Amino acid sequence: MRFQAVLNRDGGTLRTTDLDAFAERMRTILEAAGHKVEVDIVGGADVASGLDKAVSRRGVDVVLAGGGDGTISTAATRLMGKKKALAILPAGTMNLFARGLGIPQTLDGAVEAFATGKVKAVDIATANGEPFVHQFSIGMHARMVQLREKMDFGSRLGKMRASARAAWMTLRNPPALNATLMVGEAEIAARTTGIGVTNNLFGEGHLPYADDPAGGVLGIYVNVASQPGELVRHAFNMARGRWRDNQHVEIHQADRVVLSVRAGRRKPRAVMDGELVALEAETEFRIHPGALNVLVPAKLD
């Protein structure tokens, strides 16, 4: 296969990686397995254009994207519905979509897996037509990200510390939203501290990622906890992946969902694949089965 790699020097752990040395190791590993590879190292402002060039380049079989959550989501958006496959270099903080695909969590380990990997068709979701690979969320998660973005951090560890601090601040002062969900023919009205719509249902007993990335459904998670003790237990269960044991989380699944939020003067925000976005008064979610080709370790094909 012919690989075109786009590495975001400003994204995730790549900010502190010797990218010239890593690119050389990547070439050595992939070429030893009979592949061809070209590597573009770009700044954060040039990631989108770099990915556009990679996707449009003739003869390319796999676009290998390296960076944080934003880089991976941008790459998936451009490859949705196309024959070319996406290879995800796990350079973000949690790499949840990559984990669901079984990709090793070290840079060199991922490249070695790609050398013998196979292409697999998995699902991708959309929110008002905008693709996302992991989750769209409102409420507590969005507030936590907003608070974290106001803090200074220059490393993966610093981001994790900032996230913990922002999470604690959010637990002490949680948002409350009036929301309505149309799940199939059922209307669900809730006073909620958070709603997550996911690209397939999360698995149990681990970090929040899908065990089956080709399950063909949206996961809908509605948090109805409101008291401090309930919220702390919710956070603890979420960290352990104990969704089914959480009495304050309602779980639904569907192939189409419409979310409506009644907002006050301050328009709430949402988080889509880790990035803050504006929340519309109404958001339609759809699952698109098999619409994204990804490169996965051969044992998972």
Side-chain angles (χ1 to χ4, degrees):
M1 292 186 290
R2 181 181 172 189
F3 286 74
Q4 179 64 56
V6 180
L7 307 181
N8 178 4
R9 68 165 66 94
D10 302 320
T13 58
L14 298 188
R15 287 181 293 181
T16 55
T17 299
D18 184 339
L19 289 183
D20 290 330
F22 172 69
E24 188 58 37
R25 293 198 305 275
M26 182 189 300
R27 292 188 186 96
T28 299
I29 293 170
L30 293 177
E31 290 175 359
H35 306 294
K36 296 181 179 179
V37 57
E38 296 182 24
V39 182
D40 287 337
I41 300 173
V42 301
D46 298 318
V47 167
S49 60
L51 288 167
D52 284 336
K53 291 177 183 178
V55 172
S56 63
R57 196 162 290 172
R58 290 185 178 181
V60 169
D61 302 296
V62 179
V63 176
L64 191 156
D69 292 337
T71 300
I72 303 307
S73 188
T74 299
T77 296
R78 282 153 175 76
L79 289 166
M80 179 181 177
K82 292 186 168 55
K83 185 177 180 180
K84 290 182 175 68
L86 170 65
I88 300 172
L89 197 65
T93 304
M94 302 300 289
N95 306 309
L96 295 170
F97 186 52
R99 289 177 188 271
L101 299 176
I103 296 171
Q105 294 299 293
T106 64
L107 300 182
D108 286 359
V111 175
E112 289 172 359
F114 295 150
T116 57
K118 302 293 183 180
V119 175
K120 178 182 178 67
V122 299
D123 306 337
I124 192 168
T126 55
N128 284 347
E130 293 295 322
F132 64 95
V133 295
H134 178 59
Q135 178 177 244
F136 183 105
S137 58
I138 63 171
M140 291 182 64
H141 186 202
R143 177 169 291 181
M144 187 202 78
V145 173
Q146 285 181 287
L147 291 171
R148 186 187 65 199
E149 293 302 304
K150 297 176 182 178
M151 302 176 188
D152 293 326
F153 54 86
S155 66
R156 181 178 181 179
L157 181 59
K159 184 176 181 179
M160 293 174 69
R161 288 172 175 166
S163 295
R165 183 183 173 194
W168 177 244
M169 294 169 66
T170 302
L171 285 171
R172 294 178 63 186
N173 183 29
L177 300 172
N178 292 311
T180 301
L181 287 161
M182 288 298 301
V183 182
E185 299 299 320
E187 181 177 289
I188 302 170
R191 176 77 169 172
T192 178
T193 50
I195 294 175
V197 180
T198 63
N199 181 25
N200 286 295
L201 288 164
F202 289 156
E204 294 285 312
H206 53 63
L207 291 169
Y209 60 81
D211 285 338
D212 182 3
V217 297
L218 298 165
I220 304 101
Y221 297 83
V222 183
N223 182 8
V224 295
S226 59
Q227 300 302 313
E230 296 171 350
L231 292 168
V232 170
R233 284 193 295 274
H234 164 74
F236 184 60
N237 284 332
M238 184 178 68
R240 296 185 301 158
R242 304 294 294 271
W243 296 97
R244 304 284 176 187
D245 293 343
N246 198 327
Q247 62 180 326
H248 294 105
V249 175
E250 299 175 3
I251 304 175
H252 309 272
Q253 65 183 65
D255 58 6
R256 176 182 178 271
V257 179
V258 178
L259 168 67
S260 302
V261 177
R262 296 188 294 278
R265 287 179 297 177
R266 296 183 63 181
K267 192 172 183 179
R269 305 288 297 278
V271 174
M272 187 162 68
D273 282 349
E275 303 290 325
L276 282 169
V277 297
L279 177 63
E280 302 297 330
E282 184 175 284
T283 307
E284 180 192 47
F285 301 91
R286 290 185 179 272
I287 191 77
H288 302 267
L292 179 66
N293 288 322
V294 293
L295 193 64
V296 298
K299 62 182 179 181
L300 296 178
D301 181 43

